[in-house]
Amino acid sequence: MKVRQPCTKPTTVVQDFPKLTSMRREVNHLSGAAIGMVVASAACFTAIDTIVKYLGARYSVPLLVWARWGVPALLMIALLGPKMRWGLLRTSNPKLQCVRGAVLSLSSLCFFAALKFLPLAEATGLNYSTPILVILMAGWFLHERVTRSRWLFIAAGIVGTILILRPGGGMPHAASLFAIGGAALNATFQILTRKLAHEELMVLIFYPSLVGAVLMTFAVPFFADASFMNSDILLFVAIGALGGLGHFLFVQAFQRAPASTIAPFTYMQLVWSTLAGWVIFGAFPDIWALAGMSVIAASGMLLAAYERWRADPPHSGRTTIKPRTSAIMMAIPGSGVMEIASNGYPRGGSPGVFPYRAGEAAMVSYGAGPPKIFVRTD
């Protein structure tokens, strides 16, 4: 089939391909820093849990949750308020933002209550059932496809959770239910966050802190606390400050590298919590709890590695796929195609069928509007 060439002046679009290549190289170059940030953020979250468990013997859970979210809210108002002002509250869906903040506050209440009675490592291990619940909720509420590999991850996570709980063992089951409830609420929070993914990042961070601080301000007076010790003030401030720092490092890491590259390193929190529980509280997990945490962490890392392997372009060198040429792109008469470039080399707008190999990227420029990028993945 012959296609006539539009009588328009060609537009050069090849220069955009080196930019894409340099961006990919920059992400790979910064992945080491991103991994370090994820590991550091996991250490921050473990430090929070350790302080909460230490203070939980003397103070009520709502007061601890207030410190977790009230301090970051005050810090954001002090540091970002002069610049962003009311922009911190500007959102297209304030009701959903408030519901999202309330859900996260309830999640913190449940998890902090569990920390009062459960060993640090076991509580953290049960909290890592959150990714399992997120996958199930995403399939149910967001209609995302749950692949076979994700079903295997869900099954492995359930096995790991059962090993930690050990029905009939010595684990306090009421506190375990609090930990699992906190994970379920945290998964709900993440699903709601996906629905608000178009919002400003600082707004997404500020609303949960603000809502949590307001709710706990009303709740704290109803819970009697022992006399407040001045020496604990710094620990309360540290809960909020470490939370803000941990979230900052976490977000920065995921902005610097692909999620599939650094997601496995989030399981470092299991290692940190095990060490902290052993060194500070003298509680080391037994063989069953260690096996359960290992199953959860290993299945999560394998899932991330597998999905990264599937997402890698065939020409990246990690997979070997024999290039094939097939008639997959054509210049349609009247479409206004002006220039076609493939992998940075111009192919022109010549009539006929465009040979498009597996793994090849092509950029097509039209008479009006931005160029379109097509990548063949089969």
Side-chain angles (χ1 to χ4, degrees):
M1 181 182 74
K2 288 190 175 182
V3 182
R4 61 187 175 87
Q5 171 76 10
C7 298
T8 10
K9 185 179 179 180
T11 301
T12 303
V13 296
V14 181
Q15 58 185 356
D16 288 336
F17 278 91
K19 293 180 181 179
L20 295 173
T21 304
S22 64
M23 286 173 62
R24 186 181 296 113
R25 287 176 180 171
E26 182 180 2
V27 167
N28 291 334
H29 175 69
L30 293 173
S31 60
I35 290 170
M37 289 180 179
V38 168
V39 173
S41 69
C44 288
F45 298 143
T46 299
I48 293 172
D49 296 343
T50 304
I51 296 172
V52 166
K53 185 168 181 61
Y54 172 75
L55 295 177
R58 297 193 299 275
Y59 301 102
S60 66
V61 172
L63 181 61
L64 296 171
V65 175
W66 186 94
R68 174 66 182 87
W69 300 114
V71 173
L74 293 175
L75 288 174
M76 291 187 72
I77 291 173
L79 297 177
L80 300 178
K83 181 179 180 180
M84 296 186 66
R85 298 185 180 182
W86 293 106
L88 278 172
L89 294 171
R90 191 172 294 119
T91 176
S92 60
N93 198 333
K95 290 183 179 179
L96 189 58
Q97 289 278 19
C98 291
V99 170
R100 176 173 162 268
V103 167
L104 187 59
S105 298
L106 290 174
S107 174
S108 298
L109 280 170
C110 289
F111 185 65
F112 286 4
L115 282 174
K116 273 179 167 282
F117 306 101
L118 294 179
L120 188 60
E122 283 84 340
T124 304
L126 292 175
N127 193 50
Y128 266 84
S129 59
T130 294
I132 302 169
L133 298 171
V134 168
I135 292 175
L136 290 174
M137 288 183 179
W140 182 265
F141 295 107
L142 302 181
H143 306 291
E144 294 184 4
R145 180 170 172 260
V146 182
T147 61
R148 184 181 301 175
S149 58
R150 293 185 178 183
W151 279 117
L152 290 173
F153 168 67
I154 291 171
I158 293 173
V159 171
T161 302
I162 292 174
L163 288 173
I164 296 173
L165 289 174
R166 293 189 316 284
M171 185 77 66
H173 294 300
S176 301
L177 291 177
F178 272 118
I180 295 174
L185 288 165
N186 192 18
T188 305
F189 168 79
Q190 294 187 30
I191 295 297
L192 294 176
T193 301
R194 290 191 188 184
K195 288 182 172 292
L196 294 167
H198 59 282
E199 297 279 354
E200 173 71 28
L201 176 61
M202 289 297 106
V203 174
L204 287 173
I205 295 175
F206 181 67
Y207 261 96
S209 299
L210 178 65
V211 173
V214 171
L215 290 178
M216 293 305 107
T217 299
F218 286 105
V220 165
F222 292 96
F223 295 85
D225 281 311
S227 57
F228 197 90
M229 298 174 60
N230 292 333
S231 58
D232 292 336
I233 293 178
L234 290 178
L235 292 178
F236 276 98
V237 173
I239 291 174
L242 287 170
L245 176 61
H247 281 289
F248 174 78
L249 291 172
F250 193 80
V251 171
Q252 284 289 308
F254 278 84
Q255 286 180 341
R256 290 169 177 258
S260 58
T261 302
I262 57 179
F265 295 92
T266 60
Y267 288 92
M268 274 297 297
Q269 189 172 352
L270 290 173
V271 178
W272 295 136
S273 62
T274 301
L275 292 175
W278 181 31
V279 172
I280 298 175
F281 302 105
F284 194 81
D286 60 21
I287 188 65
W288 294 106
L290 285 175
M293 289 187 287
S294 299
V295 168
I296 292 173
S299 60
M301 289 187 285
L302 287 173
L303 176 66
Y306 175 73
E307 295 201 345
R308 180 188 178 190
W309 173 77
R310 285 180 57 87
D312 272 342
H315 62 271
S316 65
R318 292 187 177 91
T319 57
T320 304
I321 296 180
K322 185 178 179 181
R324 294 171 294 170
T325 301
S326 61
I328 199 168
M329 182 183 293
M330 293 181 291
I332 309 299
S335 65
V337 175
M338 300 167 62
E339 182 78 10
I340 298 176
S342 174
N343 286 357
Y345 299 96
R347 294 289 184 93
S350 57
V353 177
F354 180 76
Y356 196 33
R357 296 181 177 180
E360 222 173 21
M363 180 178 286
V364 181
S365 177
Y366 295 84
K372 306 293 183 183
I373 299 177
F374 301 88
V375 180
R376 180 180 176 187
T377 58
D378 64 332

